[in-house]
Amino acid sequence: MLRGRESTNIQDLRGMGGRGLALGGGGCGTLIIIILALIFGVDPRQFLDTGTQQQTPPQQSQVQQQQPNNPRTNDDQRRFVASVLGSTEDAWNQILPQQARTRYREPKLVLFEGQVQSACGLSSSAVGPFYCPGDEKLYLDFSFFRELAGEFRAPGEFAQAYVIGHEVGHHVQNLLGTMDKVNSFQQRAAQTQ
């Protein structure tokens, strides 16, 4: 198991009974829905906003108060994810100011089960891990790691660290403004199709 500095930018909503209700920012399913809706001339918001009337997540102070009662807040997977995130923070805090002359804003990584509410909307774990530029948070349900090992035959920590690094990469794209350019290009491409 990776043993490095553990990030403190972890928000653990697991075991909160759906109160951390994600159709959000980076999942392939969301992208497919948007593209198909645009092709067929349908407003994709009617699909993406489904369920946003659900209960909103607790405020940050409530999350922090409830975490000590969650027996899984100190589990091995959580520590591993915190170590991977800490490693990315250390790297980007050094690289970004040197290469892009901009300060790195560390994202939060939200652990959830089942569903989560983000600034990008309501999403389920079926979307997979995703980054939401609206709140600059990465969202992860550990069930995706089980899918990686079982369905995709990509077990182990390297694959898991790669997934986290990939979502952090979306955060860096957002900080640099590249994400907006890519999204704009994808929208123009979908309109021409």
Side-chain angles (χ1 to χ4, degrees), residues 53-66:
Q53 304 294 325
Q54 298 289 337
Q55 190 173 9
T56 58
Q59 297 298 318
Q60 182 71 14
S61 61
Q62 292 173 321
V63 171
Q64 290 172 343
Q65 289 170 3
Q66 292 176 9

Side-chain angles (χ1 to χ4, degrees), residues 129-162:
F130 68 95
Y131 171 72
C132 176
D135 56 18
E136 296 188 352
K137 292 182 180 181
L138 293 73
Y139 291 83
L140 173 66
D141 184 329
F142 284 137
S143 66
F144 182 76
F145 289 165
R146 290 188 291 277
E147 282 183 51
L148 268 181
E151 291 180 40
F152 301 108
R153 296 193 173 137
E157 293 179 347
F158 179 81
Q160 295 172 3
Y162 178 86

